[in-house]
Structures are given as C-alpha cells and as structure tokens.
Amino acid sequence: KKVANVFEDLVDAKRILREIRLLRHLSGHANITAIRDVMTSPVGRSNFKDLYIVTDLFECDLDRIITSDQPLTDSHHQYFLYQILRGLKYIH
C-alpha cells in the first residue's frame, strides 16, 4: 500500500500511524493482515514524502468477491461470516 505525501494532512498521518500500530499489535492471526515491512521513499532519507506498507499478497479481497458476477450460496455467506467472526474474536 503506497501512502503518498504522508505528512501533507496531519489527520491522515495520525490515521496511518494508528493503522500501522494496530496491525503490528494484532499480527499473528490467520484472519488479520500482517505487516511485513514499512518502507520510505526516497530510501534512507529523513525527509521522506511517501510511505509503503508491505503486506502479504492476496489473490482477491472480500469486496471483489461480493461485487463479482459469481452467485454466492449460503455456504459462501457462512464461510465469510465465520472468518470475520474469527478475526473479531481474536481482537477481543
């Protein structure tokens, strides 16, 4: 995930920092995306503008599945709900 001009808006910068901290804290569960690395651009400079959050690569996400033309059965809905609830239980 590329975050361009990360410090341009203070509110967005705080949200991004919060997202990074939460994902690092909650890593280790199969239903929660783990951060592999956080990189800056240009590399090695203290006055960077862009931030890259590196996560695992997934074939698709839930939004793409829901909005696709493929008809979803009750079994699909149960599986999605089960996975979401597993992640939610881990968070709590």
Side-chain angles (χ1 to χ4, degrees):
K1 175 179 179 180
K2 177 183 178 180
V3 183
N5 298 320
V6 68
F7 300 114
E8 190 172 275
D9 184 16
L10 182 61
V11 174
D12 285 342
K14 286 182 181 181
R15 287 181 184 153
I16 293 161
L17 177 62
R18 186 179 311 122
E19 178 182 353
I20 292 170
R21 291 181 70 192
L22 277 171
L23 286 176
R24 281 193 171 166
H25 179 71
L26 296 173
S27 66
H29 192 270
N31 296 102
I32 298 176
T33 302
I35 292 180
R36 297 294 176 206
D37 197 8
V38 177
M39 301 181 300
T40 60
S41 175
V43 178
R45 293 181 53 189
S46 61
N47 59 347
F48 59 92
K49 289 178 126 182
D50 299 336
L51 188 71
Y52 296 89
I53 303 171
V54 181
T55 60
D56 291 328
L57 180 63
F58 295 101
E59 293 179 21
C60 61
D61 58 7
L62 186 58
D63 179 58
R64 186 178 296 168
I65 293 171
I66 291 172
T67 58
S68 72
D69 293 333
Q70 175 186 357
L72 298 177
T73 64
D74 285 341
S75 297
H76 288 107
H77 294 118
Q78 288 176 354
Y79 181 74
F80 298 148
L81 185 59
Y82 173 73
Q83 297 299 323
I84 291 169
L85 291 175
R86 277 187 66 201
L88 186 61
K89 181 181 177 187
Y90 179 76
I91 289 172
H92 286 84

